Amino acid sequence: MIHLDKVYKNYGDFQIQDLSLEVGTGEYFVILGPSGAGKTLLLEMMAGLEVPDSGHINGLEKRRIGLIYQDYMLFPHMNVFENIAYGLTIRKEDKQKINTQVQEVSQQLGIAGLLSRNIHTLSGGEKQRVAIARAMVMRPEVYLLDEPTAALDLSTKIQIQRMILELHKKDQPTVIHVTHDFEEALAMGDRIGLLFSGQLIQNDTPEKVFNHPVSKKAANFLGYKNVFSGRIKDHLLNINGIDITTPEKQAEKAYIAVRSNDIILSKARLESSARNAFSGRVIKGIKRTNHVEMIVDIGVWLYVDITYQSFREMPLDPGSRIWVTFKTSAVKVFLH
Amino acid sequence: MKAKPVFYFLGTLLILFIVIPVFRMIFSVTPQEAGSALMEKELMGSVLLTLRASLWATLIALVLGIPLSFILARHHFFGKKVIEGLIDIPVVIPHTAAGIALLMVWGRESVFTKITGISIPGTEAAVSIGMLFVSLPFLINSVKEGFKMIDVRYEKTAVSLGASPWKAFTSVSLPMAKKSIISGSIMMWARGISEFGAVVILAYHPMTAPVLIFERFQNFGLDYAAPATVVLILITLVIFVILRAVGDKQ
């Protein structure tokens, strides 16, 4: 169990503010937050490389730690083998043992053919594999990953994500993974901590974090595209003349967010229990990899994600009349 | 007006300003004169002394200066700017003044001599001390910039893999800064070899090549000083061309 108790650190431009956190042994914990939120600093404190101004970090003393940075930090004056062997060499293991272990790890990560290569001849994905191998060969109990896929192209990124997940499944180390990419967080974490300006504003399962954002800022960051503000009276929030039914009864100033895949498009008004049904006009459809993002004007612009099949089958040319429907429970309300 | 041709023209003026005197000097001496100067024992002795004394100065600066450069590159502390300013003092004060200031500390009447009984002036050590003082900033500043260019996370990675801070320094920072250390050393050595002002005051004897040239010029005039000058220019040029080439290869 790793335990952070009211950790505070002032680092000039930003601070980690009284951050408390528990991560269980073998857990995959993702710290999700925008750049400049203090994520790297937090990891470096956990690795014992930076010292908190106040507060305590327990459970990491004398544990073997594997620290992996976004930009690999492979030693440029050593080749791939020497990089992977670095920690074992420091520990003065005998040559035979170093050789076997480096071979073993590099086979597992698919880089056995690269051992004699120079660092600067490697691709980004290869570099990250070498960096992971260099940490892995030390058999760490805790991995600290600092944006491990941020510098990679999409397909390499997915490969590296899979590799890390397999590694976690096989050896069950504790992983603390820092990222700004909410899809990566959702895909990888057992639990997600949302870090904004040095503060942990939410700490829950991926489902909870994504379905129940705690603030407008969190909702925006988690990819909610329909975020509005206004006053709620008798469950109704009025924006530009339309009344959206919300689960909250009264609020002087509130924010609401609706996920773009919680909204249904239909040709005619749906006979349903959903309280929010509005007529609107199609502005345009934006084609994404796995869905089409429709923009519909109902008095305000709503973003609605639909499948390619629906996009082909429905009359969705710009200007077409269309109905949008969503349940009250799809409306998330925050006061800040 | 196009900038590029103008820039080329202005740059060429400056290059000629450097090149013309050097080549004019070299071609003022016949190969026979230069050859006999090369054979001359006094001149070659002073050239070797110059190279050697500056090498000592550079080695001392490496041992004491690399840790200092690392601290200046990595740490922030109160008074750091002052220390960086102090290191640049030898560059800004006139070198004869530096020589006199050094004489106060290392001279025959100095506390150092009174305590140790060792007299420094007029020895090879005095030559090295003069050179060390005036050329030290070149090494420190170059090595400091070299360390600054290395992302501190390389060292953090090494520590996370079990290296002690000292081991991280010797196995990661030092080899990664090798290029700046080599070029800083070459710069410092070169600066030491060419030093006249501080050395002539602290140690007129044993005579370094610049002092010897000065003495011949003073006593016997331009014609007599010329062959020695050419020999010194050629030897230093050859050495630095070779060192630059080796340094770039690294």
Side-chain angles (χ1 to χ4, degrees):
Chain A
M1 179 84 94
I2 298 164
H3 186 97
L4 277 73
D5 183 30
K6 291 198 174 139
V7 169
Y8 178 89
K9 173 93 178 174
N10 190 337
Y11 213 74
D13 293 345
F14 56 85
Q15 301 136 354
I16 297 284
Q17 295 168 24
D18 292 337
L19 192 142
S20 296
L21 174 67
E22 277 184 0
V23 180
T25 305
E27 190 175 13
Y28 200 117
F29 189 82
V30 176
I31 297 172
L32 175 63
S35 333
K39 299 183 305 254
T40 301
L41 180 61
L42 187 59
L43 276 195
E44 289 184 347
M45 283 195 287
M46 291 188 197
L49 299 165
E50 293 283 342
V51 183
D53 295 339
S54 67
H56 302 280
I57 300 175
N58 297 315
L60 282 163
E61 312 85 356
K62 291 179 190 154
R63 299 280 290 279
R64 291 194 304 278
I65 282 168
L67 177 65
I68 290 159
Y69 285 113
Q70 166 187 343
D71 27 13
Y72 331 116
M73 294 296 137
L74 297 178
F75 306 130
H77 56 293
M78 302 178 191
N79 67 18
V80 171
F81 180 94
E82 289 160 344
N83 264 279
I84 300 175
Y86 182 84
L88 297 172
T89 317
I90 292 288
R91 221 158 63 189
K92 296 198 165 74
E93 299 286 356
D94 69 70
K95 275 216 167 100
Q96 194 56 47
K97 192 178 170 194
I98 293 178
N99 215 345
T100 327
Q101 295 197 359
V102 171
Q103 286 291 346
E104 197 181 310
V105 168
S106 47
Q107 300 253 328
Q108 196 184 334
L109 299 188
I111 48 171
L114 306 177
L115 291 178
S116 58
R117 291 265 292 274
N118 267 330
I119 295 307
H120 63 264
T121 66
L122 304 179
S123 70
E126 288 169 339
K127 282 182 182 165
Q128 195 54 292
R129 279 167 200 266
V130 174
I132 293 170
R134 181 176 61 182
M136 202 173 140
V137 81
M138 303 303 286
R139 306 273 163 230
E141 298 160 81
V142 180
Y143 281 89
L144 302 173
L145 313 178
D146 185 9
E147 303 264 13
T149 69
L152 304 172
D153 62 71
L154 191 62
S155 68
T156 316
K157 177 183 188 150
I158 291 167
Q159 282 175 24
I160 295 289
Q161 287 176 349
R162 279 200 200 118
M163 204 183 81
I164 295 172
L165 282 178
E166 278 166 25
L167 186 150
H168 180 245
K169 194 149 203 140
K170 188 166 160 279
D171 301 337
Q172 291 291 312
T174 306
V175 178
I176 298 176
H177 175 152
V178 150
T179 181
H180 68 270
D181 178 343
F182 68 87
E183 288 181 357
E184 179 162 288
L186 186 61
M188 304 193 71
D190 294 332
R191 213 147 47 93
I192 294 175
L194 212 50
L195 190 72
F196 277 72
S197 335
Q199 281 179 310
L200 202 60
I201 61 166
Q202 196 177 5
N203 174 1
D204 220 319
T205 61
E207 291 68 31
K208 279 270 177 55
V209 169
F210 279 88
N211 293 324
H212 303 282
V214 293
S215 70
K216 172 192 164 234
K217 239 173 146 182
N220 276 329
F221 188 73
L222 295 167
Y224 281 72
K225 283 168 235 158
N226 304 302
V227 181
F228 308 104
S229 66
R231 181 172 156 216
I232 300 175
K233 206 180 154 193
D234 293 333
H235 289 287
L236 295 179
L237 181 130
N238 185 287
I239 1 159
N240 293 357
I242 63 156
D243 280 323
I244 295 177
T245 308
T246 76
E248 191 79 20
K249 186 151 189 273
Q250 292 299 349
E252 253 329 292
K253 174 144 176 77
Y255 297 94
I256 61 164
V258 185
R259 267 216 320 222
S260 45
N261 47 8
D262 282 342
I263 304 174
I264 294 167
L265 288 185
S266 57
K267 265 191 264 184
R269 182 175 182 136
L270 291 181
E271 296 293 325
S272 78
S273 62
R275 303 291 306 232
N276 290 299
F278 308 96
S279 159
R281 257 177 335 107
V282 172
I283 300 289
K284 69 188 281 193
I286 303 165
K287 290 173 179 142
R288 304 283 184 196
T289 359
N290 296 314
H291 65 271
V292 181
E293 182 181 295
M294 299 301 307
I295 306 176
V296 181
D297 186 357
I298 60 163
V300 290
W301 282 16
L302 275 191
Y303 292 81
V304 183
D305 289 350
I306 60 170
T307 61
Y308 269 90
Q309 194 180 354
S310 309
F311 184 67
R312 280 191 298 270
E313 289 169 4
M314 287 178 78
L316 289 171
D317 296 325
S320 324
R321 306 294 311 176
I322 198 87
W323 280 84
V324 300
T325 309
F326 51 93
K327 292 161 93 174
T328 305
S329 62
V331 180
K332 321 292 177 194
V333 183
F334 340 101
L335 298 178
H336 56 277
Chain B
M1 194 169 73
K2 280 197 173 165
K4 217 171 150 188
V6 177
F7 282 18
Y8 272 106
F9 175 70
L10 295 175
T12 307
L13 284 184
L14 208 55
I15 302 288
L16 288 176
F17 178 74
I18 297 173
V19 168
I20 289 174
V22 173
F23 280 82
R24 174 77 184 72
M25 185 76 241
I26 291 171
F27 291 114
S28 72
V29 175
T30 64
Q32 286 78 16
E33 284 174 314
S36 59
L38 266 173
M39 294 296 136
E40 196 197 318
K41 236 181 165 181
E42 189 191 16
L43 176 61
M44 287 325 287
S46 76
V47 168
L48 284 178
L49 163 74
T50 313
L51 299 178
R52 197 170 57 231
S54 188
L55 187 64
W56 286 125
T58 307
L59 291 176
I60 292 168
L62 278 171
V63 173
L64 303 178
I66 288 177
L68 175 63
S69 309
F70 187 70
I71 290 171
L72 291 174
R74 279 286 177 263
H75 298 284
H76 300 277
F77 51 87
F78 182 75
K80 180 173 155 180
K81 284 262 174 262
V82 175
I83 291 183
E84 286 177 324
L86 289 177
I87 288 165
D88 284 336
I89 283 183
V91 179
V92 294
I93 61 173
H95 288 179
T96 40
I100 288 171
L102 285 169
L103 206 55
M104 307 269 287
V105 176
W106 299 99
R108 288 193 180 85
E109 303 300 317
S110 69
V111 177
F112 175 80
T113 301
K114 276 179 189 149
I115 293 173
T116 61
I118 301 168
S119 175
I120 297 284
T123 64
E124 192 169 328
V127 175
S128 287
I129 287 172
M131 289 173 169
L132 176 63
F133 187 86
V134 296
S135 56
L136 187 64
F138 293 87
L139 181 81
I140 301 282
N141 290 332
S142 166
V143 177
K144 182 178 78 181
E145 290 310 314
F147 281 134
K148 267 192 189 167
M149 270 161 43
I150 303 170
D151 194 319
V152 67
R153 290 179 301 162
Y154 283 107
E155 289 150 23
K156 288 180 170 176
T157 301
V159 170
S160 82
L161 289 164
S164 63
W166 169 251
K167 190 71 195 171
F169 174 74
T170 55
S171 68
V172 174
S173 325
L174 210 51
M176 282 181 75
K178 191 166 73 178
K179 215 171 164 169
S180 317
I181 294 172
I182 290 173
S183 72
S185 303
I186 294 174
M187 285 294 293
M188 176 172 174
W189 194 40
R191 186 63 198 80
I193 288 168
S194 61
E195 179 54 22
F196 172 74
V199 169
V200 78
I201 288 174
L202 208 56
Y204 196 88
H205 291 282
M207 258 188 221
T208 64
V211 176
L212 185 78
I213 289 169
F214 174 73
E215 196 207 41
R216 289 191 178 177
F217 176 68
Q218 277 287 70
N219 295 344
F220 311 104
L222 189 60
D223 287 344
Y224 193 66
T229 308
V230 170
V231 165
L232 184 64
I233 289 177
L234 287 179
I235 289 175
T236 45
L237 277 184
V238 167
I239 289 174
F240 290 119
V241 167
I242 292 171
L243 284 179
R244 283 251 170 219
V246 173
D248 284 346
K249 249 191 170 172
Q250 293 286 335

